[in-house]
Amino acid sequence: TAEGGVRVSSLPDVLVRFARCCDPIPGERIAGFLTRGRGVTVHAATCSRVLEADPLRRVDCVWDTENQAPRPVKIEVGCVDERGQLAGISRAIAGAGINIRKAESRAIEDGKAINTFEVMVQNIEELGRLIRRLSRLKGVISVERIRV
């Protein structure tokens, strides 16, 4: 078991790092790739880079459900641009027991705003609950996960 809750079946005691392009989180299907000098990089199985990678360097890996650590994920919340909206969104995230690591808010045209958050979630189910919770807030227009 590697730090971060991933088991690489064919390579014991290997360095595991998570791909920044897709930021996989527990509960998603994952694919591991042996890198030159950097161990195994874990991607979400749906990541476009997975399709481009050399299939001979692919290794089987699975989430270790007993050793999960929170993982960062980026979400974008579109809403009306009015006083208190950002505070309400932040309270809803905190009320779900989720930590905000980074936040950015900007007004756009037509009286709307885009709020981007990097939050720490335990798994894909917790992310789904958060997205549903935020979608129900008054003034929220859209909520989606961002992948680079």
Side-chain angles (χ1 to χ4, degrees), residues 43-58:
H43 290 265
T46 57
C47 179
S48 62
R49 293 197 179 170
V50 167
L51 302 173
E52 298 167 4
D54 180 356
L56 297 176
R57 293 177 34 207
R58 185 176 292 194

Side-chain angles (χ1 to χ4, degrees), residues 84-96:
Q85 193 69 46
L86 177 59
I89 294 168
S90 297
R91 273 193 306 275
I93 295 170

Side-chain angles (χ1 to χ4, degrees), residues 81 105-109 112-114:
D81 183 19
S105 182
R106 61 186 162 81
I108 58 172
E109 72 282 343
K112 295 179 181 140
I114 299 292

Side-chain angles (χ1 to χ4, degrees), residues 27-134:
E28 287 184 294
R29 288 185 19 250
I30 53 176
F33 291 92
L34 192 56
T35 58
R36 292 181 178 97
R38 293 180 297 186
V40 173
T41 301
V42 177
H43 290 265
T46 57
C47 179
S48 62
R49 293 197 179 170
V50 167
L51 302 173
E52 298 167 4
D54 180 356
L56 297 176
R57 293 177 34 207
R58 185 176 292 194
V59 293
D60 291 331
C61 57
V62 295
W63 292 106
D64 180 356
T65 57
E66 294 177 15
N67 191 21
Q68 286 183 357
R71 296 277 313 130
V73 66
K74 294 179 184 99
I75 58 171
E76 184 176 271
V77 182
C79 65
V80 296
D81 183 19
E82 62 186 27
R83 184 178 31 239
Q85 193 69 46
L86 177 59
I89 294 168
S90 297
R91 273 193 306 275
I93 295 170
I98 295 173
N99 186 42
I100 300 171
R101 285 184 42 176
K102 188 176 183 181
E104 180 182 317
S105 182
R106 61 186 162 81
I108 58 172
E109 72 282 343
D110 297 331
K112 295 179 181 140
I114 299 292
N115 305 283
T116 306
F117 298 93
E118 182 178 293
V119 296
M120 298 297 289
V121 297
Q122 291 291 330
N123 53 48
I124 194 75
E125 292 82 15
E126 185 174 57
L127 175 61
R129 286 190 300 272
L130 176 62
I131 289 173
R132 286 188 298 278
R133 180 182 190 129
L134 294 174

